[in-house]
Amino acid sequence: HVQLVESGGGLVQPGGSLRLSCAASGYTFSSVCMAWFRQAPGKEREGVANMDSDGRTAYGDSVKGRFTISKDNAKNTLYLQMNGLKSEDTAMYFCAADPRPCFDPGSSDNSFVETPGDYAYWGQGTQVTVS
């Protein structure tokens, strides 16, 4: 039973920083693509960043240069370091996982183009409010 549990959300002033965590358990996939999505009220769920088992990453255009995705394999935990936060970053942030590589072997693109439908497993979300 795959379980993803997010934490670390909260209220922060514009320009501030937060680090989100996603504790993962219950899977033994040899290859897993993990990602962060976000959803603001009245808007579609938006891809933020993803990370492959080998550490390769991709980012949504709106967060490039401000957010960093990382993981601690020993702790089975995915992180999202968010710096330079803006009011438009306010949203519920979700961790997601899918048992496959994130990227095609021949691809060099580092833009996050996947959709929520590409991920089978989801956490319950953690709220980030920038105000």
Side-chain angles (χ1 to χ4, degrees):
H1 175 64
V2 177
Q3 189 172 19
L4 303 173
V5 180
E6 302 96 332
S7 61
L11 174 64
V12 63
Q13 293 183 344
S17 299
L18 278 176
R19 189 178 79 157
L20 305 183
S21 299
C22 171
S25 62
Y27 65 80
T28 57
F29 311 134
S30 59
S31 179
V32 60
C33 181
M34 297 196 72
W36 289 98
F37 284 79
R38 66 185 182 186
Q39 188 167 20
K43 295 189 177 181
E44 294 186 352
R45 195 164 293 191
E46 172 193 21
V48 175
N50 68 352
M51 188 171 205
D52 218 337
S53 297
D54 64 2
R56 181 177 170 183
T57 60
Y59 294 89
D61 288 342
S62 62
V63 306
K64 281 182 179 177
R66 298 189 298 123
F67 291 10
T68 302
I69 189 172
S70 63
K71 62 180 177 176
D72 185 329
N73 289 327
K75 296 181 178 180
N76 287 331
T77 300
L78 183 75
Y79 300 101
L80 184 69
Q81 178 66 44
M82 304 185 295
N83 299 328
L85 283 162
K86 307 174 182 180
S87 58
E88 51 262 45
D89 295 318
T90 295
M92 185 73 79
Y93 283 71
F94 298 91
C95 175
D98 204 73
R100 56 168 173 85
C102 291
F103 308 102
D104 294 332
S107 170
S108 60
D109 192 355
N110 69 343
S111 294
F112 187 8
V113 297
E114 295 182 320
T115 66
D118 293 320
Y119 291 82
Y121 303 102
W122 291 84
Q124 81 290 347
T126 185
Q127 177 67 38
V128 172
T129 302
V130 184
S131 177

